[in-house]
Amino acid sequence: MDLDINTKRAAQKVSASLVSLVSRTGSEPFFMDFGTIIGSEEVDGTHFSTILTSASLLRSPPESDAILDDIKIDVYLSDGKLSEGQVFAYDFHYNIATIKIKTELALPSAALRFLDDSISVDPSAILESSTALRFLDDSILVDPSAILESSQLCPHSDLFKLCPGDMVVAVGRHFDDHCDLMAAPGEFSLDVFKFDCKELFRATCQITKCGIGGPLINLYGEVIGVNFYDSKCTPFLPINIAAKCLEHFKKNGRFCRPWLGMEMTNLYAENLGILEKIIQKFPNISKGVFVEEVIEGSPAESGGICSGDVIVQCGNKDVQSFLEFYGMIMEKTGESLELVVLRETSGQRLQITLKASETSRDKFYRWPLPEECEVHVDRVRW
C-alpha cells in the first residue's frame, strides 16, 4: 500500500514498542498476533517489559475460557530478536492479556492516550471550517517526532478527542526474519457490526487475523486501542477500558467486569429521527448516553431503565460520553448507582437507582474467529 507521510510518521513513533507473538504447544504454532510494550521495570539489574495483547493468543480451543498447560510464548522484538514470554494476566471477557519478558536492556514503552468520545448534539455547535487560501509547501519531514499539530487534543486535558471520520492507523510486523513494520490506515467509524462486546469501537482499517492484539494509534503515534478482527473492519477496544481493567487487576488481583444489562451508545451516534425527538423534548441537552436496549431480568430493568432513555448524570456528575460512563460504573461494581435519565416518551427527567453487578462467567463475551483464517507463521501479510 502506498502510505501517506502522516501514516508513516505515526507508525515509526510506536514501532520500537511493537512486537510479534507466537504461542506454541510443543513445537507447533498455535496462534500468532501482535502486541505493544506498555511498561517496563528493573529488578536487581534485570529488565522486565509488559506487553499488552489479545487473550486469543492463549485460548484453547479459541471458544474456550482456558489456556493450555504447556503453552509457550515466543516474542519477536522490533530488531528481530527472540525472547521468551511469560503469561502474567488474561481476561477472556474483554479478550486482553499481558505477557512479561526479560531483556538485557530496557525497552521503550508506547505512549498511551485515553479517548474522549464526547461530542455535542447542540445544533448551534457547528464546527468551524477554514476556507482561507494557502500557498503550498511540498517539503515534508520524515522525522517521527515531527507529528502534525492537531486540534484533537482537548485543551487542558490528557484526553484525545476522537470523532467519526478521524484518521487512525493499525500497525503490526511481518512474521519473518526482517520483522518489517506494517501499517493500515483508516477512519474511526460509527457503522454497526456484530460483536458480543458492546464496548468495542470500529475503524475502517483493513488487517488480517494476525493483526489481533496489535495497537490502533492516532497520528501522534499514541496507542488509543487494542485491535481485533472482522472481515469488513477493525473493531478495537478503547485503551481506556483495557488500562482500567489492568489497573484493577494490579490493585486487586482480579479483573473487574461491570454489568448493567443494557446496550448503550453515545447520544450523538443515534439516528437523526430519534435525535430530533429527544432534542425537541429536552432542548438543553447536548451530551449523554443513549440506552438502545434493556435486557430482561437485568439490573437496568430492575432499576426502571427503559430503551430510549438518555443517561445524563451518574452520582451527581454529568455524563458526557459512553467511555466516561463506563469508567464511572467500573469504579462502582457491586455498589448502587444514582442516575438521572431523560425519557423522551414522557418528557420526564427521572432519578433512578440501580446496582452495578459484576459479569458472571456465563455472561462472558464470545470472540469467534473467522473459520477461513489459519495460522501460517512463515507468510503473514496485510
Side-chain angles (χ1 to χ4, degrees), residues 135-358:
F135 287 104
L136 296 178
D137 176 2
D138 60 349
S139 63
I140 302 176
L141 294 174
V142 295
D143 183 352
S145 65
I147 300 295
L148 293 177
E149 292 185 1
S150 169
S151 61
Q152 290 173 312
L153 283 180
C154 303
H156 312 298
S157 172
D158 289 331
L159 298 176
F160 178 77
K161 174 73 80 173
L162 188 65
C163 301
D166 284 347
M167 187 174 176
V168 293
V169 185
V171 290
R173 289 196 176 282
H174 287 303
F175 286 83
D176 57 20
D177 294 337
H178 302 290
C179 292
D180 289 340
L181 185 63
M182 298 183 290
E187 296 179 351
F188 173 50
S189 172
L190 294 180
D191 289 351
V192 176
F193 61 94
K194 297 296 182 182
F195 253 81
D196 270 15
C197 182
K198 304 307 178 184
E199 288 85 353
L200 290 178
F201 285 13
R202 180 191 189 277
T204 61
C205 311
Q206 293 296 312
I207 65 174
T208 67
K209 188 191 75 168
C210 297
I212 291 175
L216 188 78
I217 61 175
N218 58 21
L219 292 186
Y220 290 95
E222 299 164 332
V223 177
I224 60 174
V226 180
N227 294 329
F228 297 99
Y229 178 75
D230 182 80
S231 59
K232 298 180 181 179
C233 66
T234 295
F236 68 95
L237 185 71
I239 200 66
N240 310 36
I241 296 177
K244 281 186 175 291
C245 287
L246 295 175
E247 179 184 346
H248 195 273
F249 180 86
K250 187 175 181 180
K251 185 187 300 184
N252 302 292
R254 65 185 185 89
F255 286 94
C256 184
R257 314 173 186 99
W259 186 67
L260 298 181
M262 54 184 174
E263 294 186 14
M264 302 169 286
T265 188
N266 280 308
L267 179 59
Y268 76 81
E270 262 311 308
N271 70 59
L272 185 59
I274 293 176
L275 202 56
E276 181 187 29
K277 292 178 180 178
I278 292 172
I279 293 177
Q280 285 177 347
K281 286 285 181 68
F282 305 98
N284 294 324
I285 188 176
S286 62
K287 299 177 182 179
V289 173
F290 184 83
V291 179
E292 294 185 315
E293 182 181 347
V294 176
I295 298 173
E296 185 177 352
S298 66
E301 184 190 50
S302 301
I305 296 285
C306 296
S307 298
D309 285 351
V310 181
I311 302 171
V312 294
Q313 280 188 6
C314 178
N316 296 320
K317 293 183 179 179
D318 291 341
V319 174
Q320 305 287 323
S321 70
F322 168 78
L323 284 179
E324 182 184 51
F325 182 60
Y326 179 89
M328 293 176 178
I329 65 175
M330 189 170 190
E331 299 298 330
K332 298 291 185 180
T333 302
E335 301 178 19
S336 294
L337 299 174
E338 301 294 331
L339 305 181
V340 174
V341 304
L342 307 180
R343 184 158 295 167
E344 180 270 325
T345 54
S346 63
Q348 293 178 296
R349 182 183 177 95
L350 304 172
Q351 291 189 338
I352 289 178
T353 300
L354 57 86
K355 186 174 182 179
S357 299
E358 187 164 2

Side-chain angles (χ1 to χ4, degrees), residues 37-228:
I37 299 173
I38 60 170
S40 61
E41 59 183 344
E42 183 179 356
V43 180
D44 297 330
T46 302
H47 296 277
F48 295 86
S49 294
T50 300
I51 299 166
L52 175 62
T53 186
S54 166
S56 295
L57 185 72
L58 313 174
R59 288 177 185 267
S60 177
E63 297 80 16
S64 74
D65 292 330
I67 66 174
L68 295 171
D69 293 333
D70 60 343
I71 194 167
K72 297 184 183 300
I73 310 295
D74 293 337
V75 180
Y76 295 88
L77 305 179
S78 60
D79 58 2
K81 291 182 179 178
L82 174 63
S83 182
E84 181 181 352
Q86 300 293 328
V87 179
F88 180 70
Y90 58 90
D91 178 45
F92 289 135
H93 182 62
Y94 286 118
N95 201 12
I96 56 174
T98 52
I99 307 296
K100 293 263 191 178
I101 58 173
K102 293 191 296 185
T103 57
E104 294 180 0
L105 300 175
L107 300 178
S109 299
L112 309 183
R113 183 70 69 178
F114 280 21
L115 295 176
D116 175 4
D117 59 331
S118 63
I119 299 178
S120 175
V121 298
D122 184 350
S124 66
I126 301 297
L127 293 177
E128 295 183 359
S129 174
S130 174
T131 57
L133 296 178
R134 295 286 189 272
F135 287 104
L136 296 178
D137 176 2
D138 60 349
S139 63
I140 302 176
L141 294 174
V142 295
D143 183 352
S145 65
I147 300 295
L148 293 177
E149 292 185 1
S150 169
S151 61
Q152 290 173 312
L153 283 180
C154 303
H156 312 298
S157 172
D158 289 331
L159 298 176
F160 178 77
K161 174 73 80 173
L162 188 65
C163 301
D166 284 347
M167 187 174 176
V168 293
V169 185
V171 290
R173 289 196 176 282
H174 287 303
F175 286 83
D176 57 20
D177 294 337
H178 302 290
C179 292
D180 289 340
L181 185 63
M182 298 183 290
E187 296 179 351
F188 173 50
S189 172
L190 294 180
D191 289 351
V192 176
F193 61 94
K194 297 296 182 182
F195 253 81
D196 270 15
C197 182
K198 304 307 178 184
E199 288 85 353
L200 290 178
F201 285 13
R202 180 191 189 277
T204 61
C205 311
Q206 293 296 312
I207 65 174
T208 67
K209 188 191 75 168
C210 297
I212 291 175
L216 188 78
I217 61 175
N218 58 21
L219 292 186
Y220 290 95
E222 299 164 332
V223 177
I224 60 174
V226 180
N227 294 329
F228 297 99

